[in-house]
């Protein structure tokens, strides 16, 4: 069975997380991703957060599956000539260098377009055009600048970043979508183009409901779904909402049996209006079904704290899986708080390919996240990340270099 992106060749100039997330996703869909790395060093993450001395870190391996690695010294004449040939033979170049770095290397858009008018050049940058466009950005900076941190956490505490890598990996996902759109447009335009995904923009896109709430707040001066209502005060900006859903259906994280010793013995519980009678029956408060103080969704917004306190009395009598099984019988939206250990050992995630075991020649077997997007006609097989420069000779031979020429490039330190 063919792959969705079979025949598409990606020149991968990325490093660390945002860019490699993008190119790994494209590789999972079947693109031939050629990762360009510095001779002797490679991607910085090969050596970061190592758990086994002298072996590629999990940070690197889990972001670079299904790729080929070639080492090139872009500062040497021979290395630049190799890169020119690669540009001529590839469909997409992806990079997440600091602003202006690619130009300083001599690979301006004009140079690339001259070599290959069909080339798509896709870039991750911290900020788009504006006062900060030349600033370097990392994950937590993007979360702060994109509006996530100011709206995450509890009202009486500081801004919080989230464990989900919405700045790096989130931007990589956005960039992958832009690349696919550009590839499709090229089928009828015949031209390449530049694709830019600023990290600030990507985080903001994921925080769009908070921009929605900012406008609602400016108009009404209150947000009834937030925990500050009805007793607290609202300022000029959207406040931190704790574990409230922030949407039309109030929700909260509640303790379950064993919470005293298990940091993840909790469940997320949503009091959806359609199942309110069922909620009342499950927790033994049938009288709330007709009580004017609880009978409507609007009325319940005034009493969310005591409502969730009563529901928590019930959840604390069950472990999180028992509670979920009971609640799902009544279609009450809920979900257990799963630890990374529980997720790693979940059989259903292994069976679906969401969690995958990979064998590496120097690391041995390890777990990684598989393709989160499932396609019926393009199944994903997750293969290991490449060793540094593992495919250099293979790629150079395909570019037309002879064995003697490759030996010469090596002697000059170009590859």
């Amino acid at each position: 069975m063919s792959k969705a992106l079979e025949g598409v060749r990606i020149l991968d100039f990325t490093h660390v997380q945002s860019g490699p997330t993008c190119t790994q996703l494209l590789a999972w869909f079947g693109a031939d991703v050629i990762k360009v790395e510095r001779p002797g060093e490679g991607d910085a993450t090969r050596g970061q957060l190592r758990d086994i001395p002298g072996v590629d870190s999990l940070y690197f391996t889990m972001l670079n599956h299904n790729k080929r690695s070639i080492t090139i010294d872009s500062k040497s004449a021979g290395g630049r000539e190799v890169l020119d040939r690669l540009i001529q033979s590839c469909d997409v170049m992806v990079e997440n260098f600091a602003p202006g770095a690619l130009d300083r290397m001599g690979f301006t858009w004009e140079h690339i377009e001259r070599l290959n008018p069909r080339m798509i050049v896709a870039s991750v940058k911290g900020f788009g055009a504006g006062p900060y466009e030349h600033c370097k950005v990392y994950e937590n900076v993007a979360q702060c600048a994109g509006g996530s941190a100011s709206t995450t956490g509890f009202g009486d505490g500081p801004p919080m970043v989230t464990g989900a890598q919405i700045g790096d990996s989130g931007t990589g996902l956005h960039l992958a979508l832009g690349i696919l759109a550009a590839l499709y447009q090229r089928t009828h335009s015949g031209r390449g183009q530049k694709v830019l995904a600023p990290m600030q923009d990507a985080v903001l896109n994921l925080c769009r409901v908070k921009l929605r709430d900012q406008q609602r707040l400016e108009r009404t001066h209150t947000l009834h779904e937030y925990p500050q209502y009805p007793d607290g005060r609202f300022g000029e900006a959207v406040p931190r909402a704790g574990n409230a859903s922030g949407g039309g259906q109030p929700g909260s994280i509640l303790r379950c049996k064993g919470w005293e010793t298990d940091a993840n013995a909790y469940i997320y519980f949503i009091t959806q209006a359609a199942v309110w009678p069922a909620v009342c029956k499950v927790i033994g408060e049938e009288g709330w079904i007709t009580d004017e103080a609880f009978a409507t969704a609007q009325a319940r917004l005034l009493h969310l704290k005591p409502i969730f306190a009563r529901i928590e009395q019930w959840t604390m009598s069950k472990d999180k899986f028992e509670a979920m099984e009971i609640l799902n019988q009544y279609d009450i939206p809920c979900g257990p708080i799963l630890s990374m250990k529980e997720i790693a050992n979940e059989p259903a995630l292994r069976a679906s390919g969401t969690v995958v075991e990979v064998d590496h020649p120097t690391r041995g077997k390890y777990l990684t996240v598989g393709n989160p997007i499932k396609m019926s006609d393009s199944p994903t097989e997750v293969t290991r990340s490449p060793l540094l420069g593992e495919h250099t000779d293979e790629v150079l031979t395909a570019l037309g270099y002879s064995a003697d020429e490759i030996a010469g490039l090596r002697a000059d330190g170009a590859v």
Side-chain angles (χ1 to χ4, degrees), residues 101-150:
L102 200 62
D103 289 353
R104 291 192 294 273
M105 291 167 59
F107 294 97
T108 62
W109 166 248
E110 291 74 21
H111 177 74
I112 294 167
E113 190 178 31
R114 186 165 54 251
L115 290 173
N116 184 355
R118 291 173 57 82
M119 173 66 82
I120 293 161
V121 178
S123 304
V124 170
K125 292 292 175 278
F127 295 94
Y132 306 117
E133 63 182 301
H134 299 296
C135 297
K136 291 180 68 175
V137 172
Y138 292 89
E139 171 65 44
N140 288 353
V141 175
Q143 290 195 30
C144 293
S148 175
S150 71

Side-chain angles (χ1 to χ4, degrees), residues 148-263:
S148 175
S150 71
T151 56
T152 302
F154 289 87
D156 57 355
M160 294 283 289
V161 296
T162 173
Q165 303 289 280
I166 61 175
D168 277 325
S169 289
T171 304
L173 293 170
H174 282 83
L175 187 65
L177 177 59
I179 290 169
L180 296 178
L183 283 169
Y184 179 76
Q185 186 172 8
R186 195 181 70 176
T187 62
H188 53 82
S189 72
R191 298 176 56 240
Q193 62 181 295
K194 292 185 286 185
V195 179
L196 172 65
M199 295 172 73
Q200 182 187 41
D201 299 33
V203 172
L204 177 57
N205 187 44
L206 297 174
C207 294
R208 66 177 63 188
V209 297
K210 298 301 182 180
L211 185 58
R212 172 204 68 192
D213 290 348
Q214 178 64 37
Q215 295 170 87
R216 293 172 58 224
L217 178 64
E218 290 173 0
R219 181 166 287 113
T220 66
H221 309 293
T222 185
L223 295 169
H224 291 181
E225 300 82 8
Y226 278 60
Q228 288 82 359
Y229 179 82
D231 306 318
R233 296 179 59 187
F234 287 89
E236 294 181 347
V238 172
R240 292 181 271 287
N243 291 317
S245 68
Q249 308 295 338
S252 185
I253 290 179
L254 306 176
R255 292 174 290 180
C256 293
K257 182 189 289 185
W259 67 271
E260 300 92 340
T261 56
D262 181 357

